[in-house]
Amino acid sequence: KAGVTQTPRYLIKTRGQQVTLSCSPISGHRSVSWYQQTPGQGLQFLFEYFSETQRNKGNFPGRFSGRQFSNSRSEMNVSTLELGDSALYLCASSLVVGGLNTEAFFGQGTRLTVV
Amino acid sequence: ELKVEQNPLFLSMQEGKNYTIYCNYSTTSDRLYWYRQDPGKSLESLFVLLSNGAVKQEGRLMASLDTKARLSTLHITAAVHDLSATYFCAVDISAGGTSYGKLTFGQGTILTVHP
């Protein structure tokens, strides 16, 4: 069974640019969550999508956005990149049972470097 | 707001020794997860704890959950070098009807096992 796939694995962007990251969940998983990991702030929740709807959002500026497609694949977009956006971006997929998420499985992550 | 605190944050152990990592959280929850992360890699799921008194064991690692004390422990028995990694606990409070798909992570415990 294929795991969670994130593309690309590495990205280097310039300040002010925008970037789109992609996440394909495990087959059958309809929930996708996104996290940002930095040495200073640790792992922080960005947002979660289920059945193409954003159900939850973390405390990030509006420059961070996402969407989910009908096949459950998800993208996140960061506009007007800042140096502080350099991080490992992880997505996780899970089943939803009775409205609640089960165990989250993480992808390999996208390492974003903003220069 | 949910707070999740791990201690210690750094743990240097000799092979063959035992030790425990603690995870305290501030809001009622009976859904807690332990993950392992190797340098530059993603998060690997170790344990899923879904009820008070839950105990799970895998090899040299054993995790437990006390929801009344809002405490989970990860016990390491007879450590070996291969266990060197960063360990995270993560709490899910979505059963309260909010925070869907959101895991709140502890800071992580960097474990180094020396010969």
Side-chain angles (χ1 to χ4, degrees):
Chain A
K1 188 172 176 180
V4 180
T5 303
Q6 290 187 246
T7 56
R9 292 290 311 279
Y10 303 92
L11 266 178
I12 300 176
K13 289 287 189 179
T14 305
R15 273 180 300 175
Q17 287 186 312
Q18 72 151 13
V19 67
T20 299
L21 313 182
S22 179
C23 174
S24 293
I26 291 171
S27 178
H29 287 194
R30 293 165 60 197
S31 169
V32 174
S33 297
W34 289 88
Y35 294 84
Q36 181 195 65
Q37 186 176 26
T38 59
Q41 299 298 317
L43 280 150
Q44 294 185 286
F45 172 79
L46 282 155
F47 29 66
E48 188 255 8
Y49 286 87
F50 173 64
S51 292
E52 301 179 65
T53 300
Q54 185 184 88
R55 294 196 299 175
N56 200 3
K57 188 178 191 311
N59 296 324
F60 279 82
R63 300 185 295 107
F64 292 82
S65 63
R67 59 178 175 168
Q68 187 180 36
F69 302 94
S70 57
N71 62 357
S72 296
R73 189 177 71 85
S74 177
E75 290 181 346
M76 69 163 280
N77 185 78
V78 188
S79 62
T80 320
L81 284 165
E82 300 177 359
L83 295 179
D85 297 333
S86 295
L88 179 66
Y89 290 88
L90 294 165
C91 85
S93 78
S94 60
L95 293 168
V96 175
V97 179
L100 298 180
N101 291 58
T102 60
E103 182 181 5
F105 294 89
F106 284 80
Q108 291 298 309
T110 295
R111 172 77 61 185
L112 172 65
T113 303
V114 182
V115 298
Chain B
E1 183 184 336
L2 172 62
K3 302 284 186 195
V4 181
E5 294 189 349
Q6 288 181 232
N7 75 83
L9 300 184
F10 300 93
L11 180 52
S12 181
M13 296 177 64
Q14 271 195 306
E15 280 190 331
K17 299 292 187 182
N18 305 331
Y19 211 84
T20 300
I21 298 170
Y22 297 89
C23 174
N24 291 273
Y25 53 98
S26 61
T27 303
T28 300
S29 172
D30 59 1
R31 296 155 62 90
L32 189 141
Y33 305 87
W34 283 94
Y35 288 90
R36 168 182 171 146
Q37 186 176 40
D38 292 295
K41 305 285 184 165
S42 186
L43 297 171
E44 173 191 356
S45 178
L46 292 175
F47 298 107
V48 177
L49 303 170
L50 299 178
S51 62
N52 185 41
V55 177
K56 297 279 184 74
Q57 181 161 8
E58 180 72 35
R60 301 173 188 275
L61 301 177
M62 183 174 70
S64 66
L65 178 61
D66 181 343
T67 60
K68 291 184 173 60
R70 298 179 187 171
L71 171 68
S72 180
T73 61
L74 179 66
H75 186 72
I76 303 154
T77 302
V80 293
H81 179 69
D82 284 352
L83 290 179
S84 297
T86 301
Y87 293 85
F88 292 93
C89 64
V91 178
D92 179 349
I93 60 170
S94 58
T98 59
S99 301
Y100 294 112
K102 175 181 179 180
L103 294 176
T104 301
F105 284 84
Q107 310 97 307
T109 297
I110 299 175
L111 171 65
T112 305
V113 181
H114 300 283

